[in-house]
Amino acid sequence: MKLNLKRPLAFFDLEATGINVASDRIVEISILKAMPNGTEEIKTMKIKPNIPIPLETSLIHSIYDEDVKDAPTFKDVAQEIIAFLGDADLAGYNSNKFDIPMLVEEFLRAGVKFDIDNRKFVDVQNIFHQMEQRTLKAAYKFYCGKEIVNAHSAEADIRATYEVLLSQLDKYKGVDFEDKKGNISQPVVNDVEALHQFTNLNKPVDFAGRMVFNDNDDPCFNFGKHKGKTLFDVFDTEPSYYSWIMNGDFPLYTKNRLDKFWKQHRDKKNEERQKHKPVEKEIKEEQPIQNVPTKPAFKKPINQEQKPHQQQKPKKDNGPANEDMLKMLADKFKKI
């Protein structure tokens, strides 16, 4: 069967130092890009994680520190990966919970922009788990009748995942599926948009699943004491919860998505404040009534010498002093 594609679908698998999206690092990436014309392109590369690979992890995927000591870092190959993916939609096994968030986290750490908003995500495991509920090894045996050679090798895993999806499309063509609400549909069809909808039933806001959209498409917390509450309600009642997550050990993509809704909420509140802000009355300039004399705005200052309270009374002229006046003065001031 050939996939019905409108644009490339990139199956990819990651091997990492562990499963913690926030703290672990990629050590190998393999991408199989299925083209609309039926051709395929594949790229596999080792990645130097710049942190030690735990022994228990190396025993699973057989990649040791020695194997990646001379490999490029993710930042070194980030642009090469973006160029290879192009505008492809993304597919994988358990990719929505691990591979895609891990890949996005590495791009964010490298400071390289990777657009995922316009891509579709097909998680083959979600089809399998919802229809049969098995592991990749069992899925490959169940759908393809074969055993995976070199299991836990990134390239072997994506090849098996690709073949499993093709077999699923054959097996479940026209098969009914009943969801938790009792709705019956035939969701497994040869269409990436439909597969995207079916493999993302939980409607996650972030790949880590810390936030999900409810039935009204409102973003809600999906963990902790505020599980089930909308982000906007929590922003109103406990805004410090936003700061706690932003400063906590959460994936960068989770923080980016939370910050996006925080800014939307803040902008909406600012708009509401502007709407309820009292409108100042316009002060109209008064026009003077015609033919009515107006008083001068101010009087000319009175000269200092002309101010009434500072003017001295004129002295009375008694004429020249005579002998009687002198005698009177002498009597008045003579010593006793």
Side-chain angles (χ1 to χ4, degrees), residues 106-281:
E106 287 280 27
F107 277 120
L108 288 170
R109 272 193 290 264
V112 177
K113 184 175 173 143
F114 177 58
D115 178 27
I116 62 169
D117 291 336
N118 297 315
R119 299 178 194 268
K120 305 300 181 188
F121 312 115
V122 178
D123 192 330
V124 174
Q125 186 192 59
N126 284 352
I127 297 176
F128 184 41
H129 280 185
Q130 292 181 100
M131 300 302 287
E132 301 294 343
Q133 300 184 3
R134 295 288 195 278
T135 63
L136 174 60
K137 182 177 179 180
Y140 194 58
K141 178 71 174 177
F142 180 84
Y143 289 107
C144 305
K146 296 184 282 186
E147 297 287 344
I148 300 177
V149 179
N150 295 326
H152 296 298
S153 160
E155 189 168 328
D157 286 353
I158 59 162
R159 173 64 62 181
T161 300
Y162 183 33
E163 292 182 31
V164 166
L165 177 58
L166 295 177
S167 296
Q168 285 175 330
L169 293 175
D170 272 335
K171 182 175 180 61
Y172 298 120
K173 183 178 181 180
V175 175
D176 290 343
F177 169 76
E178 184 175 352
D179 65 19
K180 295 178 181 179
K181 296 181 180 180
N183 299 315
I184 297 176
S185 62
Q186 296 176 355
V188 184
V189 296
N190 196 346
D191 179 79
V192 171
E193 174 69 30
L195 294 175
H196 166 77
Q197 295 295 332
F198 186 53
T199 60
N200 290 274
L201 291 179
N202 290 330
K203 299 168 71 176
V205 173
D206 65 321
F207 290 114
R210 296 292 188 174
M211 299 171 287
V212 296
F213 290 104
N214 62 17
D215 291 339
N216 297 322
D217 286 330
D218 296 320
C220 297
F221 285 109
N222 195 36
F223 75 103
K225 63 180 180 179
H226 293 305
K227 184 175 181 178
K229 296 180 183 177
T230 70
L231 271 60
F232 305 122
D233 287 342
V234 176
F235 291 159
D236 281 332
T237 58
E238 191 179 343
S240 60
Y241 202 65
Y242 161 82
S243 299
W244 175 71
I245 293 177
M246 295 301 289
N247 293 315
D249 186 20
F250 291 89
L252 292 176
Y253 187 66
T254 297
K255 294 180 180 180
N256 281 3
R257 297 290 284 171
L258 179 68
D259 190 54
K260 174 184 175 181
F261 289 109
W262 172 265
K263 289 175 180 176
Q264 286 182 6
H265 181 68
R266 184 186 60 193
D267 291 343
K268 183 178 179 182
K269 290 296 182 182
N270 288 336
E271 288 178 7
E272 291 175 353
R273 291 191 193 99
Q274 290 297 325
K275 287 181 181 179
H276 293 89
K277 186 178 180 181
V279 180
E280 296 181 0
K281 294 182 179 180

Side-chain angles (χ1 to χ4, degrees), residues 12-30:
F12 78 104
D13 184 72
L14 304 176
E15 303 300 339
T17 58
I19 59 173
N20 189 317
V21 172
S23 59
D24 282 308
R25 302 290 187 270
I26 295 172
V27 297
E28 185 180 47
I29 181 171
S30 189

